């Protein structure tokens, strides 16, 4: 397990999936997180948005747990891993009961360590909706720089929303760690 100050990132367990589905697979959360339309999943379905395929290249999925009590608090991933360009994207979602507790900043920081120190990546990127203040704050607190806005890039339950692109380079991450 990778640990930050407040959270641990560990392998996804089968019994995590129902909790993640209940807390993060509603219509609005799905549309905001993935840009894809929501669809219902039969309880116990073999394939869900939180089912992990360990054979799939280019993505690493984690369950996020509180270091205080080991409780599941969300999901996180490094996706779009490009071994040639040494880049990847960060994604995460916190269960409603875990929001507002500083976990997001810690998750992003722990994913940065994983991407830069473990994978040897050069660049990490975050794309998030312009109104997702918690994710924007978490990324910026970890040194990510706003690189641009993709106007009306996401269709979210009846309206187009802007998407902010943020990036962090390994030398910037190392400099922050040295300070």
């Amino acid at each position: 397990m990778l640990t930050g100050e407040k959270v641990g990132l560990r392998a996804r367990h089968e019994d995590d999936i129902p909790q993640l589905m209940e807390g993060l697979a509603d219509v609005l959360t799905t549309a905001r997180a993935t840009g894809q339309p929501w669809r219902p999943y039969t309880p116990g379905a073999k394939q869900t948005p939180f089912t992990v395929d360990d054979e799939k290249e280019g993505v690493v999925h984690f369950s996020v747990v509180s270091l205080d009590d080991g409780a599941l608090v969300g999901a996180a991933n490094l996706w779009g891993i490009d071994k040639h360009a040494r880049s990847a994207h960060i994604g995460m979602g916190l269960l409603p009961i875990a929001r507002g507790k500083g976990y997001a900043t810690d998750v992003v920081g722990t994913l940065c360590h994983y991407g830069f120190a473990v994978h040897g990546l050069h660049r990490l990127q975050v794309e998030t909706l312009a109104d997702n203040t918690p994710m924007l704050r978490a990324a910026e607190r970890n040194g990510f720089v706003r690189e641009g806005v993709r106007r009306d890039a996401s269709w979210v339950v009846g309206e187009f929303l802007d998407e902010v692109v943020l990036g962090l380079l390994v030398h910037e991450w190392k400099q922050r760690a040295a300070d």
Side-chain angles (χ1 to χ4, degrees):
M1 177 165 63
L2 297 171
T3 58
E5 293 180 16
K6 296 181 177 192
V7 300
L9 304 182
R10 65 158 169 76
R12 178 88 29 89
H13 298 170
E14 280 296 317
D15 57 348
D16 294 344
I17 295 172
Q19 287 180 271
L20 294 171
M21 286 296 293
E22 183 176 329
L24 297 174
D26 60 271
V27 173
L28 188 57
T29 304
T30 298
R32 291 180 60 81
T34 67
Q36 299 297 312
W38 174 84
R39 75 172 190 87
Y41 287 87
T42 304
K46 294 211 183 282
Q47 292 298 322
T48 74
F50 300 103
T51 304
V52 174
D53 177 357
D54 287 327
E55 303 296 316
K56 188 173 181 182
E57 290 288 322
V59 63
V60 180
H61 296 279
F62 297 99
S63 286
V64 181
V65 296
S66 167
L67 290 179
D68 287 339
D69 59 9
L72 180 69
V73 297
N77 57 42
L78 206 64
W79 61 276
I81 300 170
D82 182 331
K83 292 178 183 178
H84 178 71
R86 294 178 43 208
S87 65
H89 304 258
I90 286 178
M92 62 168 292
L94 294 176
L95 295 169
I97 60 165
R99 296 176 189 159
K101 298 181 179 182
Y103 292 147
T105 299
D106 201 32
V107 170
V108 171
T110 306
L111 285 170
C112 288
H113 173 79
Y114 180 70
F116 291 133
V118 176
H119 273 274
L121 298 177
H122 176 73
R123 173 187 166 77
L124 291 173
Q125 183 168 309
V126 170
E127 301 90 3
T128 191
L129 296 175
D131 66 353
N132 188 350
T133 305
M135 185 60 180
L136 291 168
R137 255 194 318 244
E140 290 172 337
R141 284 179 180 154
N142 279 285
F144 281 80
V145 175
R146 290 184 192 219
E147 297 178 335
V149 175
R150 296 179 58 224
R151 299 176 306 140
D152 283 356
S154 293
W155 176 254
V156 178
V157 190
E159 66 178 321
F160 284 102
L161 297 175
D162 292 349
E163 185 177 276
V164 177
V165 177
L166 302 101
L168 179 64
L169 303 178
V170 68
H171 72 271
E172 296 165 337
W173 176 75
K174 285 180 179 178
Q175 182 61 47
R176 286 179 57 84
D179 290 344

